[in-house]
Amino acid sequence: MNSEWQKVRLGWMAQTIVPQRDKPSDLSGPIPWVRIEDFQGKYISASKSGQGVTHEQVAAMPLRIFPPRTVFASCSCSMGATAIAVSALVTNQTFIGILPDEDRLSSDFLFYVLQDMAEELQSRATGAIQVYLSQAEFRQLRIQLPELVEQRNIAEFLDHETGEIDAFIADQERLIELLVERHEASISAAVTTVESDWREGRLKQSVLEARNGLWGADPDERPDLTAVRCIRAADFDRWSRSVLDGKVVERGYAARELSGKLLQPGDLVLEKSGGGDAAPVGCVIRYSGRDPIMYSNFVARIVPAAGYDGRFLTYLHRHLYASGAVKRSTKQTTGIQNLDQAAYLNERVHYPPLKLQMRIAEQLDARSRVTDEAIADAKEAIALSKERRAALISAAVTGNIDVRDWKPPTTVA
């Protein structure tokens, strides 16, 4: 810390605004109602979904309006999510609003300070099920405070430096999307290039057996269990070619429950309930391990029928997901997506002869390895960039680097 900096309590420098607990039933008003999903970058001004409240609702409920320059700070679950309000906004109790006295504390500087304090905020939070950091705790936070001119200079420096890092991360994320899109297109082309010796049929004819997994209480809470592992939807992602040991969570089940609930090498695993960006409903991967592994009721074990190559079928399922067949067979009940397995397996597809299935699968495996390596490189670059971003913010807001003489680079016309 710079010896000239003061260490002060946040409550001395800012007002804190706690939202009301109740959520309006009608969200069609002009004042934006924002959520964590609306955070994208440093500033926030609108609800991406168009949700909002009226002035009458604000007065009647009553609701707390966060004025411009309020710093939103997450106070529940995951700490460190921050944004600065550009216009008047309303939100829920996921956030606390911090409105600095801008004659002493810059909102732009505080934005970065709170990002740097994410781990400390998380450690201070309490709660058995959902952690929460109170208004009083926020007001007691001690922050290192340089002079206002230096605060603004630090914020300007970080705006420029993190902006470049964020742009690089965005480029890498777009690269991943492009790699996935191109690879999915190559998969679809490979499994739908119908020749004269391809035969049309239903997806179900390639399935010897489709069996649901175990349904029951969380095994971690049951004392009479063995140490057989169980795979759930959360333990794999859409792009995996196989279930890896690192993606299987150690869980135990009673021996009497094991019968008929173990994956065998070459089985396919189909996610049929739940869903999410990482492993959406309809995701299929192939189990290539050797250890006995159970599977939960949220996934189904698919045993390929004789005359069908499991690797080819995995790619065929991926094509069906990309083509919308899964979506047509998916229903949503009480917020959970569920695949109508019978309807899905009734999809019409074309099958090449077995030897050609195997050759197509080998070619796609080779392409997948190249794509996976490129995606892994991009993800590593993103992770390193995020680490550099966090280190840069920490060094700047704690005075470990001196940016008082920093000037924005001159733009060449």
Side-chain angles (χ1 to χ4, degrees):
M1 172 181 172
N2 190 310
S3 60
E4 298 177 0
W5 290 21
Q6 299 178 3
K7 197 159 189 176
V8 299
R9 295 193 187 280
L10 181 57
W12 298 349
M13 298 287 168
Q15 302 176 39
T16 47
I17 305 170
V18 178
Q20 295 295 97
R21 183 181 300 274
D22 296 334
K23 178 180 178 179
S25 56
D26 180 6
L27 289 171
S28 58
I31 305 172
W33 174 279
V34 295
R35 302 171 299 166
I36 189 70
E37 293 85 353
D38 301 314
F39 279 43
Q40 188 173 1
K42 182 177 179 181
Y43 300 104
I44 185 168
S45 60
S47 164
K48 293 178 183 178
S49 58
Q51 295 184 336
V53 299
T54 63
H55 291 280
E56 290 76 16
Q57 287 174 305
V58 170
M61 290 190 68
L63 299 173
R64 305 291 300 277
I65 292 182
F66 288 22
R69 302 296 293 168
T70 301
V71 179
F72 282 77
S74 174
C75 61
S76 179
C77 296
S78 179
M79 308 296 169
T82 56
I84 300 175
V86 174
S87 56
L89 303 171
V90 180
T91 188
N92 58 27
Q93 289 196 320
T94 302
F95 303 100
I96 188 170
I98 303 172
L99 184 60
D101 175 354
E102 295 255 14
D103 290 331
R104 296 185 293 170
L105 174 60
S106 163
S107 294
D108 299 272
F109 180 74
L110 179 60
F111 166 80
Y112 288 113
V113 169
L114 292 174
Q115 286 193 7
D116 182 51
M117 296 181 72
E119 289 188 10
E120 179 182 346
L121 298 177
Q122 196 72 38
S123 68
R124 286 171 172 259
T126 58
I129 299 176
Q130 179 172 301
V131 296
Y132 180 80
L133 193 64
S134 69
Q135 178 184 26
E137 287 281 359
F138 268 96
R139 295 188 63 81
Q140 290 297 316
L141 291 175
R142 297 178 68 84
I143 62 174
Q144 298 174 18
L145 199 66
E147 294 293 331
L148 189 60
V149 171
E150 189 172 355
Q151 292 178 41
R152 291 169 177 164
N153 210 45
I154 290 170
E156 188 177 9
F157 164 77
L158 288 174
D159 283 349
H160 179 269
E161 297 298 317
T162 61
E164 291 194 338
I165 294 172
D166 291 342
F168 174 77
I169 290 173
D171 286 342
Q172 295 301 302
E173 290 173 339
R174 283 192 292 270
L175 174 60
I176 291 174
E177 291 175 1
L178 181 60
L179 288 167
V180 169
E181 182 181 322
R182 287 180 175 175
H183 189 46
E184 290 303 297
S186 69
I187 290 173
S188 292
V191 301
T192 59
T193 305
V194 179
E195 303 290 347
S196 58
D197 56 350
W198 290 45
R199 63 189 186 280
E200 185 179 11
R202 303 286 184 181
L203 185 59
K204 61 185 177 184
Q205 73 185 55
S206 65
V207 177
L208 176 64
E209 178 184 35
R211 180 177 293 189
N212 295 336
L214 179 73
W215 178 267
D218 188 329
D220 290 339
E221 300 176 355
R222 299 165 59 186
D224 60 333
L225 306 178
T226 59
V228 176
R229 295 185 294 181
C230 179
I231 183 171
R232 304 161 302 162
D235 298 326
F236 59 85
D237 64 68
R238 178 182 169 192
W239 314 117
S240 295
R241 293 188 307 278
S242 61
V243 182
L244 305 177
D245 286 343
K247 291 186 178 293
V248 179
V249 177
E250 290 282 357
R251 285 170 171 260
Y253 282 86
R256 59 183 167 77
E257 297 172 314
L258 300 182
S259 177
K261 301 295 185 182
L262 297 179
L263 293 176
Q264 303 298 323
D267 287 348
L268 306 186
V269 186
L270 167 69
E271 181 175 355
K272 63 185 188 65
S273 297
D277 291 337
V281 168
C283 169
V284 172
I285 57 176
R286 182 170 174 267
Y287 177 57
S288 60
R290 291 175 294 179
D291 296 332
I293 295 180
M294 296 188 65
Y295 50 102
S296 75
N297 199 55
F298 292 99
V299 301
R301 169 196 177 196
I302 293 180
V303 181
Y308 297 90
D309 182 75
R311 295 173 304 159
F312 175 84
L313 294 178
T314 303
Y315 289 116
L316 182 59
H317 281 281
R318 284 174 65 164
H319 158 68
L320 290 172
Y321 178 87
S323 68
V326 170
K327 188 175 183 180
R328 289 194 298 270
S329 302
T330 300
K331 300 177 181 178
Q332 184 148 340
T333 55
T334 63
I336 298 177
Q337 294 181 353
N338 292 284
L339 184 67
D340 184 336
Q341 202 165 292
Y344 175 61
L345 293 178
N346 208 40
E347 285 288 331
R348 301 193 71 86
V349 293
H350 288 84
Y351 297 103
L354 179 58
K355 288 185 178 180
L356 182 54
Q357 291 180 35
M358 297 170 68
R359 188 158 66 246
I360 291 172
E362 288 171 0
Q363 293 170 350
L364 289 175
D365 280 350
R367 293 178 191 172
S368 293
R369 284 190 288 270
V370 173
T371 301
D372 289 348
E373 288 174 3
I375 290 175
D377 289 342
K379 287 183 175 180
E380 182 179 8
I382 290 172
L384 291 173
S385 296
K386 288 181 176 180
E387 289 178 9
R388 180 175 178 273
R389 187 185 193 280
L392 191 65
I393 290 173
S394 182
V397 301
T398 57
N400 288 321
I401 56 174
D402 188 347
V403 299
R404 284 175 292 185
D405 297 327
W406 178 86
K407 299 295 182 186
T410 303
T411 303
V412 178

